[in-house]
Amino acid sequence: MTNGTAIPGAFDGMAAFEGPNNTTVLVRNHELGTSATNPVIGTNPYSSAAVGGTTTLIINNARNVVKEYVSSSGTIRNCAGGATLWGTWLTCEETRSSTHGYVFEVDPLDPENELSRTPIKDMGRFSHEACAIDPATRYVYLTEDASPSYLYRFIPNDTSKKPGALQKGGKLYAAAIEEIASPKASTFKTGQTIGIVWKELNPDLCREDAKAQGCIEFKKLEGAFFQAGVFWFDDSSAGEKNLCRIYRYIPATNSLELFYEATDRELMESPDNICMTPWGDLWFAEDGSGNDRIMGITPEGNIYPFANNRLSGSELAGPIFSPDGKTLFVNIQTPGKTFAIWGPFARSNSARAREMSYSSPGKLFAPNVSDKLKSFAENQGISVLEAAAFERHGVKI
């Protein structure tokens, strides 16, 4: 790094911000625990016994690193996280103990300040994965990398767009379905829209509270991204073939939808981090058993490969576009490498992003149902999804 020390290992989630003098500020997670060959060595750690944290890279217009330094330290398993609307990074601990399992706010241009070593305890003590902020309400949506896992929402007391606002506390909730006690997401069908409610939790015992209140149980939640009025997240090993499910939650209607269930590992296997491209496609980075890839899904329902990591055998992580949309930054976790990839890519297209947010799942994603069920739906004047729901609940078809 700039000070001559070794760059920490285990690269994971990232965010990219517009910096001064036409630079890009990249903040990068390091998924390390309490020991590592190349630890995060900071000067103001949250815990001296932990070697995870974040680094900041200042990148010039020619896509060269001009400065690289530790921006937070003393945390454990900094896996993913999420960018704030005010230029800071929420780094999440993927662990849970009496003193770890929190979200920390990192100012990439003010390294290792008190903010970076102050856990936001009201955002819950659990095995955090990723988070994303709704720009309309400032609510924070959070995923949990555990089994079972829950979908959380944090409503801050202070919704101003400035560093430190989230530390002023708030209330934590988990998603539930009013009509069903202890629902399991495994029963959801592609294209099915589900109205949900939010149950308030004790942030220190949020998993126990979510279970006691019968909140929705997912299998293993991972990536998260908010764009064009919709919160996207994935369940990396869910579905009939354990390959993944991608969900979208629409706050305006308080509805949850299973957008896609993978049935062919050639198209999707164990997505981890996800992001939206500036032109409106959904991209995901795989963390599966074979060669991991970056794959894309279009609003029209097509899936395509963008990149294939054939050589290292390690996961791709943290895909994020620069603020101008011209450069994709992505990591290979081990050995730690950060790549800058440029196109030309398609131009930014907010209309297409909205189309992705509200389009119906394409035919490729449609549920596979029998002719008998289709006939029953037609005779009853209901949709196939409604008929499938009746069948699952024991109605004789």
Side-chain angles (χ1 to χ4, degrees), residues 144-165:
E144 179 180 30
D145 191 343
S147 185
S149 54
Y150 300 96
L151 177 64
Y152 299 93
R153 181 174 74 176
F154 174 69
I155 300 181
N157 293 330
D158 184 347
T159 57
S160 62
K161 296 197 296 182
K162 59 184 181 181

Side-chain angles (χ1 to χ4, degrees), residues 269-313:
E269 182 183 9
S270 301
D272 196 328
N273 301 147
I274 60 175
C275 72
M276 298 293 290
T277 69
W279 60 91
D281 290 359
L282 175 70
W283 277 16
F284 58 86
E286 294 181 320
D287 182 15
S289 57
N291 296 324
D292 292 327
R293 305 163 295 179
I294 297 176
M295 302 286 287
I297 302 176
T298 71
E300 295 77 27
N302 300 314
I303 298 181
Y304 60 91
F306 174 75
N308 191 326
N309 179 27
R310 293 179 176 170
L311 297 179
S312 82

